[in-house]
């Protein structure tokens, strides 16, 4: 057992080294031993596995403690889950409708969540009393449950038969760190310092190469069309012009006009930019995060700095907006939630901050997040997806890999679908795991031969509701959903992992914390301790950025 854990630690360390650019001879030697370590680990697992013990399986021996612990987001109900893997046009239409003012929306969301919680507390008693008086109601409830199960079975079957065509976009000469989709364009950022634009219908070649950063590109964001029009008018450009924001380790945020392929504005932030998002509220805001843990807000109208917040102890690795709310995640495991008050000075007001001791996501890794309603889904380089109920600080986790050597690098929500990337350090297998929302029930896993590690993800839909995705990492790939009934064969294999079906969702209190495999330290030497001391001497805040962009 001890040797197994030591091998798992070494493979985690190699997984971290592989995404570096500059490697010492010693580091290259460690990476060269990957195949040998994987072979030895597989041999030990085969020797030690048995009917009562299967090493490397997440939550093995703890399934009797696992329970469903789902708290539905206020905006999503089971009946709203799409019955097939397509986005309904009605959902698209609802997104374009006018929404209340930020403060009103926030109060409405809070009030709705409180009413939901009150209903959840009172519903069991009411149902019990009512059932004694009117037994026929029970059959109605059973009918609804059977209908939900039938819809889920249909959805699951549809994803098991799903077919995708993959197209490789070649042009970057280093790891792709971020991707976004704009109309028929895919925009990618890379450690090679470039931002590239690809036209999806003719994706064999790059559409534009946006060079200007002097450091690796870490993040991208696409402002909505109405905000692009305002800037286009100010610059005397076409109203149809679309803009892209890029952040880089060179401490700059650049605003690019896609049709002309030029940088129209550059913001210097004094720190390496590690995350950013566009907040479409009021006149619009650009919110950036730095490797020093600082969060800053910039006016889209004047491009002046409106606010600087020392929000985290380590690098801010993810920032996402949801209506008037802004969510930030850090390498220290902390998650902050702000309300945008749409003011010229200090527009962000802190609502909640949950530290790494609450989220359990600390350790200096890359924390990415995907918010929806009262829940924030977190990925942090482990075999689980964490779920933070941000109003209360309640944590639960969703098994995303059947092995403790599995890592989750990114998480994304699209329509009624939750998608988590999945990579096994022990054997190099990579896939995307699909779960239905809001119940977080496992649907299927999508993979293909020699699939690379997926570090970033973007999704959109065609006019017919078919999915189109783009994934980045060592390779940049466009996924196009094919008709299930068609004769064309897909490039992706849909498979099922029965172990993920049994490990659905568990409360943090019902399971042990992440085990010793979370440590990258090599037991054969003191390099891990020296690396930590070195990080502390340099300030520690940029450890994640140095790992990814060195």
């Amino acid at each position: 057992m001890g040797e197994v854990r030591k091998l798992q630690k070494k493979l985690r360390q190699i997984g971290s080294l592989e995404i570096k650019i500059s490697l010492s001879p010693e580091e290259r030697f460690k990476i060269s031993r990957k195949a040998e370590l994987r072979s030895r680990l597989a041999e030990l697992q085969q020797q030690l596995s048995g009917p009562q013990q299967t090493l490397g399986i997440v939550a093995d021996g703890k399934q009797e403690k696992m329970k469903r612990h789902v708290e539905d987001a206020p905006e999503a109900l089971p009946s709203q889950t799409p019955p097939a893997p397509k986005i309904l046009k009605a959902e698209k239409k609802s997104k374009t409708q006018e929404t209340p003012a930020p403060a009103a929306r926030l109060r409405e969301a809070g009030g709705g969540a409180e009413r939901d919680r009150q209903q959840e507390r009172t519903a069991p008693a009411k149902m019990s009393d009512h059932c004694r008086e009117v037994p026929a109601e029970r059959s109605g409830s059973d009918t609804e449950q059977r209908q939900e199960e039938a819809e889920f079975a249909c959805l699951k079957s549809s994803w098991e038969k799903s077919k995708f065509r993959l197209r490789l976009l070649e042009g970057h000469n280093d790891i792709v760190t971020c991707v976004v989709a704009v109309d028929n364009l895919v925009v990618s950022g890379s450690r090679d310092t470039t931002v590239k634009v690809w036209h999806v219908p003719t994706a064999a070649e790059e559409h534009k190469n946006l060079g200007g950063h002097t450091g690796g590109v870490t993040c991208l964001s696409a402002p909505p069309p109405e905000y692009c029009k305002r800037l286009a008018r100010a610059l005397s450009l076409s109203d149809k012009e679309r803009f892209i924001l890029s952040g880089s380790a060179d401490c700059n945020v650049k605003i690019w006009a896609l049709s002309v392929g030029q940088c129209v504005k550059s913001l210097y932030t004094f720190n390496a930019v590690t995350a950013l998002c566009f907040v479409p509220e009021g006149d619009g805001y650009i919110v950036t995060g730095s490797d020093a843990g600082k969060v800053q807000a910039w006016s889209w109208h004047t491009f002046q700095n409106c606010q600087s917040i020392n929000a985290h102890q380590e690098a801010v690795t993810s920032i996402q907006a949801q209506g008037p709310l802004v969510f930030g995640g850090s390498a220290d495991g902390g998650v902050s939630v702000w309300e945008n008050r749409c003011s010229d000075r200090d527009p962000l007001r802190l609502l909640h901050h949950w530290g790494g001791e609450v989220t359990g996501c600390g350790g200096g890794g890359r924390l990415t997040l995907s918010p929806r309603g009262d829940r924030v889904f977190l990925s942090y380089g482990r075999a689980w997806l964490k779920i933070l109920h941000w109003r209360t600080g309640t944590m639960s986790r969703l098994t995303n890999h059947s092995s403790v050597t599995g890592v989750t690098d990114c998480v994304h929500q699209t329509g009624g679908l939750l998608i988590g990337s999945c990579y096994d350090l022990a054997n190099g297998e990579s896939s995307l795991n699909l779960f239905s929302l809001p119940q977080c029930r496992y649907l299927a896993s999508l993979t293909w031969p020699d699939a690379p590690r997926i570090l970033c993800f973007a999704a959109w839909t065609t006019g017919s509701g078919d999915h189109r995705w783009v994934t980045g990492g060592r390779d940049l790939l466009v996924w196009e959903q094919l008709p299930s009934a068609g004769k064309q064969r897909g490039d992706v294999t849909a498979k099922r992992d029965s172990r993920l079906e049994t490990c659905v969702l568990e409360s943090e209190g019902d399971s042990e914390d992440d085990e010793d495999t979370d440590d990258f330290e090599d037991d054969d030497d003191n390099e891990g301790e020296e690396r930590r001391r070195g990080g502390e001497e340099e300030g520690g805040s940029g450890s994640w950025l140095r790992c990814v962009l060195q």
Side-chain angles (χ1 to χ4, degrees), residues 101-155:
R105 293 217 310 276
L106 188 65
R107 288 194 297 270
E108 181 180 351
E114 182 62 30
R115 287 193 299 273
D116 289 344
R117 286 192 287 270
Q118 291 176 355
Q119 291 174 0
E120 289 173 1
R121 290 194 295 266
T122 59
K126 290 183 178 180
M127 178 62 72
S128 177
D129 295 339
H130 198 58
C131 283
R132 285 195 297 268
E133 296 174 4
V134 188
E137 287 294 325
R138 182 180 302 168
S139 62
S141 178
D142 292 343
T143 301
E144 291 178 2
Q145 184 174 0
R146 285 196 297 270
Q147 182 179 354
E148 290 176 7
E149 287 297 324
E151 290 178 355
F152 175 76
C154 177
L155 181 64

Side-chain angles (χ1 to χ4, degrees), residues 51 62 109 127 142 157 184 187 202 210 250 278 285 353-354 378 475 485 496 501 538 540 546:
K62 296 184 255 180
M127 178 62 72
D142 292 343
S157 174
N184 282 327
V187 185
T202 57
L210 310 180
D250 64 10
F278 186 87
Y285 298 85
H353 175 83
W354 305 106
L378 312 174
D475 292 336
R496 297 189 58 76
E501 291 183 306
E538 296 173 16
R546 286 193 297 274

Side-chain angles (χ1 to χ4, degrees), residues 236-253:
S236 300
L237 296 174
S238 168
D239 282 354
K240 297 182 179 180
E241 182 64 76
R242 296 301 302 270
F243 297 93
I244 284 289
L245 312 175
S246 63
S248 168
D250 64 10
C251 307
N252 282 287
V253 173

Side-chain angles (χ1 to χ4, degrees), residues 401-430:
H401 203 290
S402 56
S403 168
V404 293
T405 54
V407 295
T408 303
D409 290 301
C410 58
V411 59
H412 188 88
Q413 298 177 75
T414 175
L417 197 64
L418 173 69
I419 303 173
S421 70
C422 175
Y423 180 74
D424 195 336
L425 295 168
N427 55 31
E429 294 180 355
S430 180

